Amino acid sequence: MQPAGTAYTAAEIKSLRLKGAMYIRMSTELQVESPENQERAIRAYAAEYGIEIIKTYADLGVSGINTEKREQFQTLIDDVEQGRNGYNIVLYLDESRWGRFVDSREAEYHRMRLERRNVVCQSCEKPVTLTSNLADRIMTLLRDESASDYCRQLSQKVWAGQCNLVSKGYRQGGVAGFGLRRMLLDEAGRPKQELAMGQRKSLLTERVILMPGPDEECRTVLWMYDQFIAGSSETDIATQLNAQGLKTHFGRPWSRGTVCEVLTNEKYVGNNLFNRTSGKMKSRAKPNPESEWVRKEHAFEPVVDMERFYTVQGIYRERNKKATDEELLQGLRDLYARQGRLSALIIDEADFLPPCSLIRNRFGGLLRVYQMIGYTPKRDYQYVAINQRLRSLHAEIVADVVRDIETLCGRRIPMDPESCLLELNHNLFISVVISRCFTTPSGTRRWKIRFDSGLRPDITVAVRMDVRNEAIRDYYILPALEFSDGQLKLSEENAGFLDGFRNDTLDNLLKLSVNISLDKAVHHGAWGHSAYFH
């Protein structure tokens, strides 16, 4: 065994006869040779150190911004954490192939998940030493941040390029829509061919525009506008279309929403719109204010004339003008009298009411609205009231937990004001979650602990509430090494494995405030070389 902190030579690594896995990733399907080039380079690198490749994981045509769609990456992590791996080292071409995460710390997090199971993560950019010093760690962090920064800059450049093309009248992604078709143009702007559903351009110099579809579909679009102007609702129009056996451009029955899309989208008068919603870097899409929209008027041949279109938009503006609270409540009373019950879906389908989300935001929740109009749902919503009370107590409980930990450790504990993630000892992150008590139909009491996987805490402190959800019952101190994904269900008594993490107080967190050196941890077996190579 090598002394702690001492690097292995290439000859010594060959004598260990390591077994390894390789991870390959390419971002787009157009990078045809990328997987072969990566595999060739990794195998040559493995042969240099006598590493036998026994498993290959490959995510082809998948972005490295997150792990959501990287099925092979998730399989790699799961194989190691579940002990199904027969290898003790994972090779990848460079840090960007491991991932271009928006938060560069996520790359290190996933490497730590493997290294905690005694599997080394190794980039082919640097020599294999089977040890880690400060310089190596700094260089790895810099490469992770460089990969993340490249992704951010590329996203910004792509978005700017899209805005420029839209301003020139070219279509940027998305289906054409009912009554419209996509036309492919060559580099000189000449029509080349009509694109079917799912087809894409193959050359970077080609462009796409919209054009009117079959005459029958165009006549149907005009009929929809005329019906709406004559006083028919979107639901009535959808019912008539379905009765005639007509389908949407996706081949599905019509609904209020799909009719509304035809009646409100400016592409039917030939305008090219972009950036109405945005979700950069795989973030959740959000609507943008109209001042940020990119619009090119008269970009395409229109299907609907301006007079019809703006008449319909005027009807929508009149309908959606701000109603008083009493007008909204009376509308809900009328809907309740008509339907006999209320729900978010029923409210959204009502032509004379605004969306359910607006009503919810206006009055502070649907349950409060139901009480105001005298409607009592049959379902028991007591849990909602409990959750609302616990949310109001959450800040107070977290503050108490932080104060207790600070008292135990004798130092201030920083806390992120947005995520409420605690930083203990400058490198250990703790998440505090509250678990309410609920009673099953059989009379037994249960607690659910939901792990906040997005924050990637090292430890989750689960505060288990008492039977009345008014006071703290006990604590579960749960390390991410054992508990990190999904949720955990607890009973009143949890013997065996789970009971080992239960605590009446937070005293055990005191032990986590003591610093030890990496070499000392390695010497005591936490990262011992013998653990890597059985």
Side-chain angles (χ1 to χ4, degrees), residues 215-229:
D215 291 341
E216 183 180 352
E217 288 190 17
C218 291
R219 286 194 296 269
T220 301
V221 170
L222 292 175
W223 174 85
M224 294 165 67
Y225 274 77
D226 291 338
Q227 289 294 306
F228 190 76
I229 292 172

Side-chain angles (χ1 to χ4, degrees), residues 46 76 90 111 117 155 168-169 250 309 315 332 337 355 367 384 402 410 438 461 469 474 482 497 513 518:
L76 163 64
V90 174
R111 282 193 290 265
R117 298 290 182 176
S155 173
K168 293 181 178 180
F250 285 116
F309 184 80
I315 295 173
L332 288 169
L367 289 182
V384 177
V402 171
F438 66 95
V461 176
N469 290 297
D474 52 23
E482 300 291 347
F497 177 72
S513 67
L518 178 62

